Amino acid sequence: MRTGLSVPAACLAALALPLAAVPASARTADPPPPDRIVIDVNTVNGSGCRAGTTAVAAASDNTAFTVTYSDYLAQAGGASNPTEFRKNCQINLNVHVPQGFTYAIAGADYRGFAHLEDGASGMEKANYYHQGMAQTTPVSHTIRGGYSDNWQFSETATRIAQNPRSATYALI
């Protein structure tokens, strides 16, 4: 019996811009900055994202970015290696925002495919860490077998992390 949990086109995060000195109720009504947001991948590390299998792209309207993992697969049972049951990936991004703007993660979508036999389960788990913050924000979702289909989970921000410096900021 082989079960697997795949994250081939995984994460879409929405950006909320600008945020400086704007009441929470008015934040979503503000237009995105006219200059391009540039997101660079500093490092990628983990058993689920070997070199060359992770990409980041900013949306043309400056309101979101997508992180794609092209070879993220966890599996158990059958002829799979015992270490294949759990995968992880830590990605460190530099987010360059236009002068006078700041950003926050407003939400994230996770997508993948799971094939789980009866009695098996899989878990998608994310930890958010923003440079300068002392703790991570963990989120997890469980898929129970028998299941064989695409899956999607969406998260909204419970805590806004801002960059008051309006420059380069690491998002891990």
Side-chain angles (χ1 to χ4, degrees):
M1 174 173 72
R2 180 178 224 149
T3 60
L5 185 62
S6 174
V7 186
C11 178
L12 172 70
L15 296 172
L17 292 163
L19 292 177
V22 177
S25 61
R27 287 184 182 159
T28 58
D30 292 324
D35 294 333
R36 296 290 307 145
I37 294 171
V38 178
I39 300 174
D40 296 320
V41 177
N42 279 346
T43 58
V44 176
N45 188 13
S47 59
C49 53
R50 52 192 174 79
T53 65
T54 304
V56 178
S60 61
D61 66 357
N62 280 345
T63 61
F65 65 95
T66 301
V67 179
T68 305
Y69 303 92
S70 62
D71 193 26
Y72 197 110
L73 175 67
Q75 56 190 359
S80 62
N81 186 320
T83 61
E84 295 292 307
F85 80 101
R86 180 184 319 212
K87 295 292 179 163
N88 66 58
C89 183
Q90 179 174 319
I91 185 166
N92 180 312
L93 305 174
N94 261 346
V95 181
H96 308 274
V97 295
Q99 183 70 25
F101 287 85
T102 188
Y103 77 93
I105 302 300
D109 293 324
Y110 301 91
R111 298 181 187 101
F113 178 85
H115 175 78
L116 301 167
E117 299 292 334
D118 285 332
S121 65
M123 178 185 292
E124 176 273 325
K125 182 177 181 180
N127 285 298
Y128 300 96
Y129 171 79
H130 300 273
Q131 182 180 9
M133 294 176 68
Q135 65 184 25
T136 62
T137 304
V139 220
S140 64
H141 301 278
T142 300
I143 302 170
R144 307 226 181 268
Y147 185 91
S148 189
D149 203 351
N150 294 315
W151 54 266
Q152 178 176 337
F153 299 112
S154 296
E155 294 295 332
T156 56
T158 56
R159 177 174 65 180
I160 301 293
Q162 297 184 37
N163 170 18
R165 295 182 305 265
S166 308
T168 300
Y169 193 64
L171 173 65
I172 302 171

